Amino acid sequence: TTSGKYTYRTFTSSSTLGISNISDWYLIGTITSILGTSTPSIEYLVVAGGGGGGFNFGGAGGAGGGGFLGSTTTFTGTMTVTIGAGGAAGAVGNNSVLGAITANGGGNGGDNGVGGNGGCGGGGGNGGHAGGIGSQGYDGGTSSGTNGGGGGGGAGAVGSNGSTNVGGNGGIWSIFNGAYYSGGGGGRSSGTGGTGGNGGGGSCVGDAGQNGTANTGGGGGGGAGVGGSGIVIVKYLTNQ
């Protein structure tokens, strides 16, 4: 799609990015001077699949892999695009790839244990367990000692800690064109379930974890919520 001076290409399934007519790229002087090169640049967002929520009381879904927004001065003419699937319940999400850029899948929610590590960490499971570590985003929250799972980490905020009979909320992030991606899943509880973070994180309603939203990288909610699939968006200047 085209908006103003820019063209956006959105990938929700694996494909190849190819821009055959490089003369379509309009390079204004400010971009050339900032980057120190006349090589066409692209902005990109790469979001991995979210992790799946844990099964037991307090299991929390891990958030999707950290999103990437930036520019590159290297464009080879074609770039492979891989869209990571969300993790099944209790499983880590899958990586998304744009050329040499990789977003790591979200960590799974803990199930009576620590949360899984990933792009963003999964929330800790029932029993006072720590959340997982986020390699490209934030860590998951710690569970309470009694039936309150930690929320999954998001790409811009840690997951909330669980408290007695209350699941932690998932972390959030707003990154690209005002849209939210890579939200953490809410923790499961025997009382009040946690709310999923903005960015597709699944909440826990009753004993059931909701799935992360497709193509956001949102983590699944504690209580066996499935992670949301990833997405790749590329933006480049095409008109003055």
Side-chain angles (χ1 to χ4, degrees), residues 134-212:
S135 61
Q136 297 168 333
Y138 285 80
D139 298 346
T142 300
S143 66
S144 72
T146 307
N147 298 340
V158 297
S160 297
N161 295 334
S163 58
T164 301
N165 296 328
V166 179
N169 296 327
I172 64 172
W173 198 18
S174 174
I175 179 173
F176 204 84
N177 278 3
Y180 290 92
Y181 298 92
S182 299
R188 184 179 181 184
S189 169
S190 60
T192 303
T195 301
N198 288 343
S203 299
C204 178
V205 179
D207 285 334
Q210 296 179 331
N211 296 339

Side-chain angles (χ1 to χ4, degrees), residues 5-27:
K5 300 176 182 180
Y6 296 94
T7 293
Y8 294 81
R9 295 195 177 183
T10 300
F11 297 88
T12 57
S13 59
S14 299
S15 184
T16 300
L17 170 66
I19 303 174
S20 59
N21 187 2
I22 297 298
S23 65
D24 286 344
W25 297 54
Y26 181 81
L27 301 178

Side-chain angles (χ1 to χ4, degrees), residues 51-55 59-62 87-91 108-110 219-227:
F55 291 95
N108 59 287
V226 175

Side-chain angles (χ1 to χ4, degrees), residues 21-142:
N21 187 2
I22 297 298
S23 65
D24 286 344
W25 297 54
Y26 181 81
L27 301 178
I28 58 176
T30 53
I31 290 180
T32 301
S33 63
I34 290 172
L35 297 178
T37 178
S38 60
T39 304
S41 64
I42 60 174
E43 293 181 62
Y44 54 84
L45 170 69
V46 183
V47 177
F55 291 95
N56 209 334
F57 282 126
F68 289 77
L69 176 63
S71 62
T72 177
T73 59
T74 301
F75 184 78
T76 62
T78 59
M79 300 175 78
T80 299
V81 177
T82 302
I83 303 300
V92 174
N94 293 279
N95 296 348
S96 289
V97 178
L98 172 65
I101 302 157
T102 299
N104 297 327
N108 59 287
D111 187 26
N112 284 332
V114 298
N117 300 331
C120 298
N126 187 49
H129 295 287
I133 297 171
S135 61
Q136 297 168 333
Y138 285 80
D139 298 346
T142 300

